[in-house]
Amino acid sequence: MTPLRAVLDDAALAELRARREKGEFHGLSLQHMLEFLLSDGIMPESGLPVASFLALEEWARRREETRKIR
């Protein structure tokens, strides 16, 4: 399985910012999202919404699959 950090590029960062502004990944700051992705799925601190981290991981895995297909 590809590490989550592999999806991070300029386009992914821009998409994360835009999704956060729309209210996706509720309760997570951009810093939390980046820490999670760079640590390959280790939650940075407790008390944050687990569902948002799961959605973020799903987004990253789908993004990686899409990149492999191209």
Side-chain angles (χ1 to χ4, degrees):
M1 188 179 293
T2 304
L4 293 174
R5 66 184 169 272
V7 303
L8 289 177
D9 57 17
D10 290 339
L13 188 56
E15 185 177 341
L16 280 175
R17 284 185 175 127
R19 287 174 173 258
R20 185 178 176 279
E21 300 237 343
K22 290 179 183 176
E24 292 184 44
F25 311 122
H26 174 75
L28 302 183
S29 67
L30 185 59
Q31 179 178 342
H32 290 132
M33 291 188 280
L34 293 175
E35 287 174 5
F36 179 77
L37 294 172
L38 290 171
S39 67
D40 199 31
I42 297 173
M43 290 179 52
E45 62 183 73
S46 62
L48 297 171
V50 174
S52 292
F53 282 112
L54 293 175
L56 177 58
E57 181 174 4
E58 184 179 325
W59 169 83
R61 300 279 179 217
R62 279 194 323 263
R63 186 172 176 77
E64 181 59 27
E65 286 301 314
T66 302
R67 288 173 45 170
K68 286 181 183 178
I69 293 171
R70 290 181 189 172

